[in-house]
Amino acid sequence: MIKKFIQLAFVTSCIFSSVAAHAHHSFAATFKADSIIDVEGTVTKYNFKNPHVLIYFDVKNDDGSMTNWVAEGVAATNLRRTGWDKQTLTVGDNIRITGNETRDGSPMV
């Protein structure tokens, strides 16, 4: 249950912060605003730092190989206000991230 809450909190923070992101870089240049994807994997690295929290995670492909993905969230300061901290995720945690697909198909959400 806690994992589902964490996932929902992260996605919600990403969605509500997209307006603020336009102030310093273009969301539209990197991501497809109309294409939402779900990606499941295992956390390999978690950077709880400003200007953006980054979650690196391995995703198992259909052929059995692994691809390292990265999820870019809002500032650590914003997530801290919702209860997140540097111990919220640990290496080995299984996660599901929902977010916008990249325009170039790179493994980022």
Side-chain angles (χ1 to χ4, degrees):
M1 184 69 181
I2 289 178
K3 293 286 184 199
K4 290 185 186 238
F5 174 76
I6 291 169
Q7 294 163 358
L8 179 61
F10 186 76
V11 171
T12 302
S13 295
C14 291
I15 290 169
F16 287 117
S17 69
S18 64
V19 173
H22 289 214
H24 66 274
H25 59 80
S26 175
F27 175 86
T30 306
F31 298 99
K32 298 177 183 178
D34 59 347
S35 182
I36 305 295
I37 58 172
D38 287 319
V39 187
E40 291 185 52
T42 304
V43 175
T44 58
K45 187 176 180 182
Y46 173 53
N47 285 336
F48 191 77
K49 298 177 183 176
N50 288 319
H52 296 278
V53 171
L54 297 174
I55 303 169
Y56 297 87
F57 57 107
D58 282 339
V59 175
K60 189 173 186 179
N61 301 313
D62 292 337
D63 65 2
S65 64
M66 300 294 265
T67 301
N68 189 253
W69 281 66
V70 62
E72 178 181 357
V74 297
T77 305
N78 293 359
L79 286 177
R80 202 171 278 115
R81 291 181 191 133
T82 65
W84 281 60
D85 63 26
K86 61 183 179 180
Q87 283 88 31
T88 300
L89 293 175
T90 58
V91 171
D93 285 348
N94 292 315
I95 60 170
R96 173 183 282 168
I97 302 287
T98 301
N100 296 88
E101 181 179 17
T102 58
R103 292 193 175 279
D104 65 2
S106 60
M108 182 178 187
V109 64

